[in-house]
Amino acid sequence: MPIPSPFPTIDIPQKDIHSFLFEREDRPFPEDQVVYIDGNTKRQLTYADVRDQARTFGIGLKSQWGWQRGDVLAVYSTNQIDTPPVVWGTLWASGVITTASPSYGVEELSFQLKDSRAKALVTLVDLLPIAAQAAADAGIPKDRIIVLGDKTTKEYRHWKDIIDPSTSVKWRRVKALNPEKELAFLVYSSGTTGLPKGVMLSHKNIVANLLQFTPTDPLDWTEDRLVAFLPFFHIYGLTCIMHHAILRGLPTVVMDRFDLNKFCQHIQDYKVTFAYLVPPVILLLAKHPDVAKYDFSSLKMVNSGAAPLTRELVESVWARLKVSVKQGYGLSETSPVTHSMRWSQWKSHVGSVGPLVPNMTAKYVNEKGVEVPAGETGELWMAGPNIMMGYLNNPTATANAITSDGFFKTGDIGYQDGDGNFYITDRLKELIKYKGFQVPPAELEGLLLGHEKVDDCAVTGVYSPEMASEVPRAYIVLVAGVRRAKDTELELIRYVEDRVAHHKRLRGGVRFLDEIPKSISGKVLRRVLRDMAKGEGQGEAAKL
């Protein structure tokens, strides 16, 4: 039988995201509560600022651009405190948001713009060279590119200039007709084919997930504060920080990118009490000498997600800083949170991602798809109101991922202990997970095969203790006559580095082989490569 959540079932209102956040009768904090604080400029936005600016932008989209239900706005930017009003203004206008990594090059961004059928693009002045070219490739006109941030340019309008010039027209918001079926976000998740898939998240998916995971983190707007360096384009930052902060009125220091000393300084200066982190940052807290310069006494707890965390790191952070570290689990396809460790159990269940959040059920299945008893190892399947609608323009992938009775196949292997806590032990999927970002091996393999010195290749993930993350490593069969030399290895690393997003670089280095291990059908035997990697060093890594 499927495993239920140990928590009581909660009511999920039939509301769209904007109604849920901004038309509330149960809001415990005042309208002038500061929610977002710019970590660089100290500029602030209150709850009322965000609500009012979102409405103004939404009206502008409808009056200036004739925005229709389902029209897609792409956000290609680092974290900005103006991102929330742009996002919720688009939802006010019955639109859809797709978020893209600011590390994307022209081809990667262009693909997402085309696949999502984006009608407009918002970006930063510094990203305009890439953004403008990708938009042109995708057929987005120049006057539909607008900029965020404090930097401006005469060539492109600022997002605040998208306003209704008329005072006579009364614009009213059209609410989602069916929050369960109406698309709100398109976040992109890489596949083993190398082409990212658009994960379709409905209004209900996000509303449900906010109600599912927030009770697991007992925070109070009167005393708790967050810090936000996790990118808002990633589902972890989008739901757990950007949406979570406005829902609960939590003052949140927004960082445009991660910088260890700034991060530590913000914790000290703003008396940050809770932080959503990833294992590489936990590693820095445990070992980096600069951390000793700062006061972390305000931190009650930190949550680590996006990748597994070792017991050694959890214990090292506690020994050094007396900061508690718990884990959670989720995926883009689950909006994302499905598990969250109880605060009281972080020390007794290190390594667990915690119990299922409310309104979810799970089961473990064997290789034949047959359910195994609780406690036995199997692939984790889950069902609940936070499971995605499916993959955009990809019914085959959707059918392969979601069963007829609504269970999402995670591709992750694990088990449940006697206390109801879940453990993730391995991954069926071939995707490499670098600091929470998915790296499709096939994409890197296709790129390497285009190099004149490469005869055959395979890419797999290897764990790097130094980075506390899985990193991509390439196994290369060189063309006859090419020497196996350090210069060749570095040449191939740089070749990839120049052509992919930051998180896809060959940080695990390059290894040369006589032959790539393959099955009779020609499929790369990645498990053989992973076993081989266990006996090898990390090798030359691309710069962080």
Side-chain angles (χ1 to χ4, degrees):
M1 291 288 292
I3 306 161
S5 168
F7 299 106
T9 299
I10 55 177
D11 292 329
I12 310 297
Q14 291 299 313
K15 291 183 177 181
D16 58 47
I17 295 168
H18 191 280
S19 298
F20 177 68
L21 295 176
F22 299 110
E23 299 173 12
R24 303 163 55 189
E25 297 179 356
D26 61 344
R27 173 169 48 83
F29 53 88
E31 289 196 337
D32 63 356
Q33 171 72 357
V34 172
V35 180
Y36 303 109
I37 305 160
D38 189 310
N40 292 327
T41 68
K42 295 183 170 55
R43 182 163 64 92
Q44 299 181 349
L45 291 179
T46 65
Y47 173 86
D49 291 334
V50 176
R51 180 197 61 204
D52 296 345
Q53 290 178 19
R55 181 176 182 275
T56 298
F57 182 65
I59 291 173
L61 287 178
K62 295 177 77 69
S63 66
Q64 294 252 322
W65 290 351
W67 211 252
Q68 300 294 313
R69 185 184 298 277
D71 283 351
V72 177
L73 176 70
V75 179
Y76 175 60
S77 170
T78 58
N79 285 2
Q80 304 289 315
I81 66 168
D82 291 331
T83 301
V86 165
V87 166
W88 294 316
T90 303
L91 298 187
W92 186 97
S94 304
V96 176
I97 288 288
T98 187
T99 53
S101 168
S103 69
Y104 275 177
V106 172
E107 290 185 6
E108 292 163 310
L109 179 59
S110 178
F111 170 82
Q112 184 167 330
L113 295 177
K114 292 175 184 176
D115 191 65
S116 65
R117 298 185 178 92
K119 295 289 183 69
L121 173 65
V122 59
T123 188
L124 302 175
V125 170
D126 291 346
L127 295 176
L128 277 169
I130 291 174
Q133 183 60 58
D137 292 348
I140 297 175
K142 187 175 178 179
D143 64 358
R144 293 296 176 94
I145 302 174
I146 54 178
V147 296
L148 276 174
D150 297 321
K151 271 190 182 181
T152 58
T153 173
K154 293 181 179 179
E155 196 173 357
Y156 295 90
R157 286 196 289 177
H158 195 265
W159 74 276
K160 289 187 177 179
D161 294 331
I162 308 301
I163 58 176
D164 181 12
S166 170
T167 56
S168 61
V169 179
K170 296 289 186 181
W171 293 97
R172 298 184 65 183
R173 187 171 77 85
V174 180
K175 298 181 181 180
L177 299 175
N178 184 347
E180 186 174 358
K181 300 296 183 182
E182 192 156 318
L183 186 60
F185 290 97
L186 277 171
V187 295
Y188 274 72
S189 176
S190 296
T192 53
T193 62
L195 291 176
K197 299 190 294 291
V199 177
M200 298 189 292
L201 300 177
S202 69
H203 286 265
K204 184 177 181 179
N205 288 155
I206 301 298
V207 169
N209 202 230
L210 287 169
L211 291 173
Q212 287 171 303
F213 85 83
T214 51
T216 66
D217 293 331
L219 303 173
D220 188 316
W221 66 273
T222 62
E223 61 182 49
D224 289 305
R225 286 163 293 281
L226 309 179
V227 61
F229 69 86
L230 294 177
F232 293 161
F233 70 80
H234 191 281
I235 191 63
Y236 188 7
L238 182 68
T239 301
C240 297
I241 299 179
M242 196 182 91
H243 281 80
H244 183 197
I246 200 81
L247 174 66
R248 300 177 77 173
L250 300 170
T252 301
V253 185
V254 178
M255 300 177 65
D256 60 344
R257 56 179 53 82
F258 181 74
D259 176 277
L260 177 62
N261 283 280
K262 285 185 179 180
F263 169 74
C264 296
Q265 192 72 54
H266 291 330
I267 289 176
Q268 177 176 290
D269 293 349
Y270 289 96
K271 305 299 181 186
V272 170
T273 61
F274 187 80
Y276 290 100
L277 307 181
V278 288
V281 175
I282 303 291
L283 176 65
L284 292 173
L285 294 180
K287 297 186 177 182
H288 200 286
D290 286 358
V291 171
K293 304 174 186 176
Y294 301 94
D295 180 6
F296 284 79
S297 60
S298 63
L299 268 180
K300 300 175 181 177
M301 173 76 71
V302 298
N303 181 86
S304 182
L309 191 65
T310 64
R311 172 180 291 274
E312 290 75 18
L313 280 182
V314 172
E315 293 176 346
S316 294
V317 171
W318 175 253
R320 187 184 192 190
L321 302 175
K322 292 297 181 283
V323 171
S324 308
V325 182
K326 72 181 186 74
Q327 288 195 77
Y329 174 78
L331 308 99
S332 296
E333 291 88 345
T334 58
S335 304
V337 184
T338 62
H339 298 73
S340 185
M341 173 56 66
R342 301 174 180 91
W343 282 35
S344 61
Q345 294 189 355
W346 75 271
K347 205 167 188 177
S348 59
H349 291 81
V350 176
S352 170
V353 297
L356 274 172
V357 296
N359 296 50
M360 292 202 78
T361 55
K363 60 183 176 181
Y364 289 103
V365 301
N366 59 24
E367 293 179 355
K368 296 180 180 179
V370 177
E371 185 174 357
V372 299
E376 291 189 18
T377 298
E379 181 188 0
L380 176 62
W381 292 9
M382 297 182 291
N386 51 316
I387 302 298
M388 67 171 179
M389 297 165 61
Y391 294 115
L392 181 70
N393 306 323
N394 202 332
T396 300
T398 300
N400 289 337
I402 302 177
T403 65
S404 59
D405 56 349
F407 278 86
F408 173 68
K409 306 174 184 179
T410 68
D412 286 330
I413 304 297
Y415 66 94
Q416 181 191 31
D417 67 15
D419 296 322
N421 292 301
F422 285 65
Y423 292 78
I424 305 300
T425 58
D426 203 351
R427 188 159 63 251
L428 280 180
K429 296 179 180 179
E430 295 178 341
L431 290 173
I432 301 162
K433 210 163 190 179
Y434 171 68
K435 296 186 178 181
F437 296 103
Q438 294 174 330
V439 183
E443 179 182 354
L444 298 181
E445 289 163 359
L447 187 60
L448 284 164
L449 287 171
H451 194 284
E452 59 182 8
K453 295 183 180 179
V454 176
D455 187 49
D456 197 5
C457 70
V459 175
T460 192
V462 296
Y463 184 75
S464 165
E466 291 80 5
M467 298 183 194
S469 177
E470 199 175 31
V471 293
R473 173 176 293 171
Y475 288 86
I476 304 289
V477 178
L478 293 170
V479 170
V482 178
R483 285 190 319 113
R484 297 184 180 184
K486 196 68 174 178
D487 288 346
T488 307
E489 179 183 348
L490 294 176
E491 178 185 346
L492 294 172
I493 289 173
R494 289 166 184 151
Y495 174 80
V496 171
E497 180 178 339
D498 291 340
R499 290 164 174 80
V500 299
H502 185 76
H503 62 277
K504 297 178 184 176
R505 296 174 180 177
L506 293 175
R507 287 176 169 79
V510 167
R511 296 290 184 273
F512 298 116
L513 298 177
D514 293 328
E515 185 179 32
I516 300 298
K518 295 180 180 180
S519 67
I520 296 175
S521 64
K523 184 177 181 181
V524 174
L525 299 174
R526 298 186 196 278
R527 185 170 297 278
V528 174
L529 294 177
R530 287 194 290 270
D531 290 342
M532 190 184 304
K534 291 177 182 177
E536 301 170 341
Q538 185 183 339
E540 187 71 30
K543 292 181 179 179
L544 289 172

